[in-house]
Amino acid sequence: MIRRIQRFLSESNKAAKINSRVNAYEWWRQSYRLHSYPSTLRLDPANICNLKCPFCPTGNATSKLRFRGIMQPEVFYKIVSHIPVKYLVDVHLYIWGEPLLNPHIVDYIDYFAEQGKRVFVSTNFSTKEYDNDFLEQLVKSGLFQLILSIDGASQRTYERYRRNGDFERVIKNAQRLSEIVKGSGSNTPRIVYRMLLNRFNEMEVDKAAHIANEIGAYFLADSSFGIPSEHVDEWAPQFGNRAHSEEFLNTGPGICRQLWDTLTVDANGDVFPCCIVCDSSSALGNLTEQHLDEIRNGQKMTTLRRFIAHSGNAQEPDFYNSCTKCMLRHKYRIYFSLKKSKKAIKDVFVEFNVQDKETEQPISESLIIHPQTGFQFKTDSRGKMSFKIFAGQYSMNVYAEGYLPGENKIANITGIEPTQKIFFTLMKSVP
């Protein structure tokens, strides 16, 4: 506990918080050249996988990455030497592969955790039966959250997508990890049972939530499953996923934030504009050869920011890229709920209120944005915005013209009150 408090109070974390605010302001202003650094790092320790998931470029062998394999230590330390790590808040050690295939993963986690960064790893946890020694190392590494990709509550539904996966092995690994976490007296890593909702598993949501509770995990029912258009009729949920109903789903203009606040790096050091790109022809530079400063405000990245900031109405870049054909820069739908699985799945009518910090007067036309997804809501003339949402914990940013961006607001949606009010306050900018 003392070690964690020291990390939180470290100079590195103070710098990260200040940088995050500057970065949010530059995104709000849609700046092309940036003074801030990324607050999130997505680094792929291994872009290979033991599973054959049908819609994943790694699993179905359609990936166009020029390097396939694990990130070796000499590559890792070369990359991080070219990144100002002190400005990072979150580090995601996964993109297109299975990170636990890399035998050095614990060392990579520890490197960032020692500097006070929140480290996330997403795994299928099905590669093998992990021994207690490895699981104990994982707990001691400082890992903040381990996301388990378990798209079902039985082998039959799980293997529809997680092909070559072993459902029973995943559950046993998770259960033993949970026991080690409890035995250590630590509250990390948080273990998340993440279930991508589809037509074959939607009727097992309650069963999956029950299993998650039994193994001591959080349950995440996630409807952001990327289904190719030609497979929508076969795979799209029909009944269980209420997030596909307009009553439970808000859709707004989504301006991609990743070129501003996120650094995405492949296992060989290639830098990509975002985490959904798996084509080396779209690389904007390489961090084994260049410092981040050279890439972040380089010609390619600033050109892409200008193009995205103008919603694609600016002149198209004259170099190969993945942004010009990306639909996510316009409108997209992402919905999820994260809750302790022993709690009932409930939804609640929530009212968000935005007001001036000094006068407490409402601020109309302000944006409430989910920072990870870019999901946006706009307040009305009374400074209010309301909608139905699942119980859970959400991190939000709030922006309004003439005001400085406020700090990230954690909104705890309890699902108990019939109407829950959450207030945000903003301070006027200094002329």
Side-chain angles (χ1 to χ4, degrees), residues 272-288:
F272 293 123
C274 76
C275 62
I276 66 171
V277 175
C278 55
D279 183 349
S280 293
S281 299
S282 293
L284 305 174
N286 187 288
L287 282 171
T288 63

Side-chain angles (χ1 to χ4, degrees), residues 40-44 92 94-95 258 262-266 275:
T40 299
L41 170 65
R42 295 184 183 274
L43 182 64
D44 210 348
H92 298 252
Y94 62 95
I95 305 179
Q258 292 200 41
T262 303
L263 175 63
T264 302
V265 187
D266 191 24
C275 62

Side-chain angles (χ1 to χ4, degrees), residues 19 22-23 25-38 257-262 293 296-298 301-302 305:
N19 175 75
V22 176
N23 183 267
Y25 181 72
E26 290 185 322
W27 175 81
W28 178 60
R29 292 290 300 273
Q30 296 291 275
S31 302
Y32 311 144
R33 295 187 60 83
L34 307 180
H35 295 89
S36 63
Y37 287 98
R257 295 178 61 112
Q258 292 200 41
L259 283 166
W260 281 264
D261 66 8
T262 303
D293 289 339
R296 186 160 171 77
N297 282 317
M301 197 167 270
T302 53
R305 287 195 197 102

Side-chain angles (χ1 to χ4, degrees), residues 45 48 50 63 100 139 144 152 185 214 278 290 313 337 421:
I48 54 175
N50 55 302
S63 170
L100 299 191
V139 173
F144 177 73
E214 295 232 314
C278 55
Q290 301 164 278
N313 293 322
S337 65
K421 295 186 177 181

